[in-house]
Amino acid sequence: MKLRKLMAMTMATAMVATTLTGCGGGKKDVPTDTSKAVETTTQQKTETTAVTEAAASGEQLADGKEVTLRFAWWGSQNRHERTQKVCEMFEAKYPNVTIEMEPYDFNGYFQKLNTLIGAKDVWDVFQLGNGFAEFDSAILDLQPYIDDKTISTEHITDAFLDITKFAGKQASISLGTNAHCMIYNADMFAEAGLAEPADNWTWDEYQKNAEALKEVTGEFGSSRTEPFYGACTVGVPQWGEELNFFKADNSGLGIDKPDYLVPYMQMIKDMTESGSYPDPGAVAEIGMDPTQDFVATGEAGMVWTASNQFIALSDAAAKNGYPNMKLAPIPRRTADGPAGLRIKSSQGLCASSTYEYPDVAAAFINFFVNDIEANKVLAGERGVPINSAVREALVPQLTTAENQIYDYIDKVSKFEDGKFVNINEPAQQEIVKKRFELDLEKVISGELTPEAAAQDVFDFANAEFAN
């Protein structure tokens, strides 16, 4: 019998972090009615059949040598169970390969990853979002394995491959994609006599809609946004197609003045003062749980979030009596200007640059990304799959909400200016983001002007890259 090592958090206690790069939109683990119980039983039968069918092939890698591959990821119990099942399918298909699986919660995963990076002993295959810069030295370039067809890209467009390229190499292959979006209550828009957002709606329209929603419904026009992204990583590219807050190689800032940040800060200050946007205390109270957001509770008309949080939020809203949630792109600076928006990899698989059997790692990644039966087990829990054949195979089992996400990702993937948007995250991003959020609170309180706050963020970020 093959032995597997389960390190850090056990599968029974691990929890997923609800961040843009760390979320997945999977189904609930425990059915709450008979129909869901039947659905779950059917799914389990499908997964068992898939493993049995995979076992019949008996193919070999690494010239038939007995090979061990260490694989780690973070996520929920639901993700752990699905991922383990697919690992077993891979082992059944390639009986000379043993997968040592290490599931973690989000914080435990990155604590362990940083320890392994320091020891130069990272896992053979490991999960990452967009933080390639910090771990670049440990990441194998997968392009040669795409070139020799070990990793098939027959049903994957360049747009989906580009999102996991960094520093001139294919750093990972995405297991699921998402994108920034606005979720809005279509019934509340109708009540206020507002047209639903167009694909090219603007920040001026967003603010006017929020004010109208506040006036008619008495609720917040908008719940929280993502201020750092709104002003910086999404907002700066909206000023021009080749502009980015961070340089493409993440070596410093891509702007030479702070002026680009000012209008967004001023807008949030104005909306907070009018009552159409929650103050910092109210934003802190709801936190990042989409099921507790003001839109989910009927206390706001729209919210900025990640597309893979749409299911959790819309399910919660429906339970609270608000069943008509929809997705729209983030507003633009001008209707005919860049969207500043690009699909992102919520999680992808990287291979270690020091693994003795890189072809085995590449075949393992290929299986997760391209095998239809494996993806029926994974069920798009990490986000919308990048393989068009996989997406087509999953359509029959999608819910209405999941279909909305698939359609939205397809739409954003076709935004032409997206190819100019830098979605990789430098190691300095988190501390710069915190400084921005602190300064924005000072703008709202009147302690700083938007101009002074923008200058402070600009100077602080430059100093961080100089250190």
Side-chain angles (χ1 to χ4, degrees):
M1 178 178 291
K2 296 179 177 179
L3 298 177
R4 302 182 179 87
K5 131 182 109 161
L6 299 176
M7 297 178 60
M9 298 292 182
T10 67
M11 290 172 58
T13 60
M15 298 294 292
V16 65
T18 54
T19 63
L20 180 63
T21 61
C23 298
K27 298 186 186 337
K28 293 181 174 64
D29 296 334
V30 181
T32 55
D33 57 41
T34 304
S35 62
K36 291 186 178 180
V38 171
E39 178 185 345
T40 302
T41 301
T42 302
Q43 177 69 27
Q44 290 170 343
K45 289 180 179 178
T46 301
E47 294 170 1
T48 301
T49 301
V51 175
T52 302
E53 290 175 351
S57 64
E59 298 178 33
Q60 292 186 326
L61 295 170
D63 298 322
K65 287 185 281 188
E66 291 294 322
V67 173
T68 297
L69 184 147
R70 297 179 301 157
F71 172 42
W73 69 95
W74 76 83
S76 64
Q77 177 67 15
N78 182 24
R79 179 178 299 168
H80 295 333
E81 291 172 355
R82 292 177 184 277
T83 302
Q84 180 178 5
K85 183 71 70 175
V86 173
C87 288
E88 291 169 356
M89 292 169 66
F90 183 84
E91 289 179 318
K93 184 173 184 178
Y94 301 105
N96 65 310
V97 180
T98 298
I99 310 300
E100 292 184 349
M101 292 176 268
E102 299 186 26
Y104 291 84
D105 72 337
F106 183 81
N107 291 329
Y109 179 87
F110 281 97
Q111 288 172 3
K112 184 66 176 181
L113 176 57
N114 283 311
T115 299
L116 294 177
I117 291 289
K120 294 182 171 53
D121 185 33
V122 74
W123 303 292
D124 304 323
V125 174
F126 56 102
Q127 182 174 285
L128 271 187
N130 298 284
F132 302 123
E134 193 171 355
F135 309 109
D136 182 51
S137 63
I139 297 174
L140 176 73
D141 184 4
L142 296 174
Q143 187 60 50
Y145 304 94
I146 292 175
D147 294 340
D148 71 11
K149 309 299 183 184
T150 301
I151 299 175
S152 172
T153 59
E154 180 182 359
H155 300 290
I156 303 171
T157 66
D158 288 344
F160 284 106
L161 291 173
D162 288 347
I163 62 176
T164 50
K165 287 183 177 178
F166 179 75
K169 67 185 181 184
Q170 190 74 51
S172 83
I173 307 293
S174 178
L175 290 183
T177 56
N178 61 16
H180 295 287
C181 68
M182 281 285 184
I183 298 176
Y184 65 96
N185 185 329
D187 291 336
M188 196 176 284
F189 267 66
E191 180 184 350
L194 298 171
E196 294 183 20
D199 289 348
N200 64 338
W201 68 318
T202 66
W203 286 113
D204 284 343
E205 291 174 307
Y206 161 80
Q207 185 172 359
K208 290 175 182 177
N209 285 349
E211 300 292 351
L213 287 164
K214 169 66 176 176
E215 182 177 351
V216 172
T217 68
E219 306 290 356
F220 292 122
S222 175
S223 183
R224 62 176 173 80
T225 60
E226 294 283 354
F228 176 77
Y229 295 106
C232 301
T233 57
V234 171
V236 168
Q238 292 183 338
W239 289 93
E241 283 192 342
E242 307 217 23
L243 281 171
N244 277 291
F245 184 72
F246 296 118
K247 290 180 180 178
D249 64 358
N250 286 351
S251 62
L253 293 190
I255 56 175
D256 59 3
K257 58 185 178 181
D259 304 25
Y260 303 106
L261 315 185
V262 172
Y264 191 90
M265 288 182 158
Q266 183 67 58
M267 179 186 71
I268 296 300
K269 175 179 173 61
D270 292 344
M271 291 175 65
T272 304
E273 290 178 349
S274 73
S276 65
Y277 187 89
D279 62 39
V283 171
E285 184 179 332
I286 60 173
M288 298 300 292
D289 183 350
T291 67
Q292 301 301 314
D293 188 82
F294 290 132
V295 170
T297 59
E299 299 170 87
M302 46 188 170
V303 60
W304 176 324
T305 187
S307 58
N308 61 352
Q309 292 191 352
F310 179 64
I311 294 172
L313 192 149
S314 59
D315 282 353
K319 290 177 181 177
N320 291 324
Y322 306 99
N324 199 7
M325 297 293 151
K326 294 185 180 181
L327 290 165
I330 299 302
R332 305 181 184 213
R333 181 68 33 206
T334 61
D336 59 353
L341 196 58
R342 187 178 181 186
I343 55 172
K344 301 181 70 173
S345 175
S346 53
Q347 289 98 34
L349 295 185
C350 302
S352 168
S353 58
T354 60
Y355 183 42
E356 184 179 0
Y357 304 102
D359 57 326
V360 175
F364 181 76
I365 292 171
N366 179 71
F367 188 77
F368 266 76
V369 173
N370 291 315
D371 188 272
I372 298 293
E373 295 306 316
N375 277 278
K376 287 180 179 178
V377 174
L378 295 173
E381 186 272 333
R382 285 175 170 88
V384 177
I386 64 174
N387 181 313
S388 60
V390 168
R391 293 198 299 273
E392 184 177 347
L394 294 182
V395 165
Q397 67 188 61
L398 296 180
T399 65
T400 300
E402 288 166 340
N403 266 306
Q404 284 198 61
I405 296 173
Y406 274 53
D407 290 344
Y408 180 73
I409 291 297
D410 183 64
K411 178 188 298 182
V412 174
S413 71
K414 294 173 182 174
F415 286 173
E416 283 298 318
D417 66 283
K419 61 188 175 185
F420 299 109
V421 178
N422 178 24
I423 57 173
N424 293 313
E425 299 170 355
Q428 295 85 350
Q429 174 167 306
E430 192 58 31
I431 193 169
V432 174
K433 179 180 177 182
K434 289 179 180 177
R435 183 67 166 232
F436 180 94
E437 291 170 348
L438 177 63
D439 281 351
L440 179 59
E441 289 191 17
K442 292 180 179 180
V443 169
I444 292 169
S445 70
E447 186 177 342
L448 287 176
T449 65
E451 292 78 10
Q455 184 69 56
D456 181 69
V457 171
F458 181 78
D459 293 342
F460 180 83
N462 275 317
E464 284 299 311
F465 279 101
N467 290 337

